[in-house]
Amino acid sequence: MRPLVSLVVLAAFVAASPVAELDARVPFFSQVFDNATAATQSSSYMTFTLVEPGTPVEDCVEFCIKICDCKGINVYLDNFGKGITLPNGQAELYTCSAFSDAIDSSMNTNAGGQDQHGDGHLNFITKSSGWVRDF
């Protein structure tokens, strides 16, 4: 059985360790894809939240842990999307989607293409990464 480590304690250790890798900062989760240009679409979609750009994966993991039966997360930028965007259209906040089943890159079918503001700009997805919970 793995020892349970507080995310706060782990975050303090990681902050003090400049060579720590991302996997060490997201205990009990494994990365299944990275830097995709589409978001995950699945019937196991549960909900989403917006997270700050500084530590989007860590914040999304924390969000998932608080949701009963969350087994996978997709973190991505929804450029020209419904969230807050910068003047150039880049998303200011990351979207964090939670799923009740494991996800993988074959489910990345949402590349955007919608005019979500009615201004003619079509949204598009960048920096999409997927993580599954290790059970």
Side-chain angles (χ1 to χ4, degrees), residues 6-109:
S6 161
L7 288 177
V8 173
V9 170
L10 187 61
F13 171 78
V14 169
S17 176
V19 296
E21 296 196 16
L22 184 58
D23 285 346
R25 295 194 310 249
V26 287
F28 314 116
F29 281 78
S30 296
Q31 188 171 27
V32 292
F33 62 87
D34 186 35
N35 208 26
T37 56
T40 302
Q41 233 172 253
S42 169
S43 60
S44 71
Y45 170 79
M46 300 172 80
T47 187
F48 82 98
T49 190
L50 298 175
V51 293
E52 296 290 331
T55 53
V57 174
E58 294 90 332
D59 293 346
C60 195
V61 163
E62 192 172 317
F63 176 69
C64 179
I65 288 171
K66 294 176 183 176
I67 300 171
C68 183
D69 294 327
C70 179
K71 296 183 178 118
I73 56 171
N74 181 208
V75 182
Y76 59 92
L77 288 174
D78 185 4
N79 303 287
F80 285 114
K82 288 184 180 176
I84 300 169
T85 58
L86 301 173
N88 68 357
Q90 181 178 329
E92 187 172 341
L93 301 174
Y94 279 78
T95 299
C96 163
S97 297
F99 298 87
S100 60
D101 286 324
I103 61 170
D104 62 50
S105 62
S106 71
M107 300 173 177
N108 292 351
T109 57

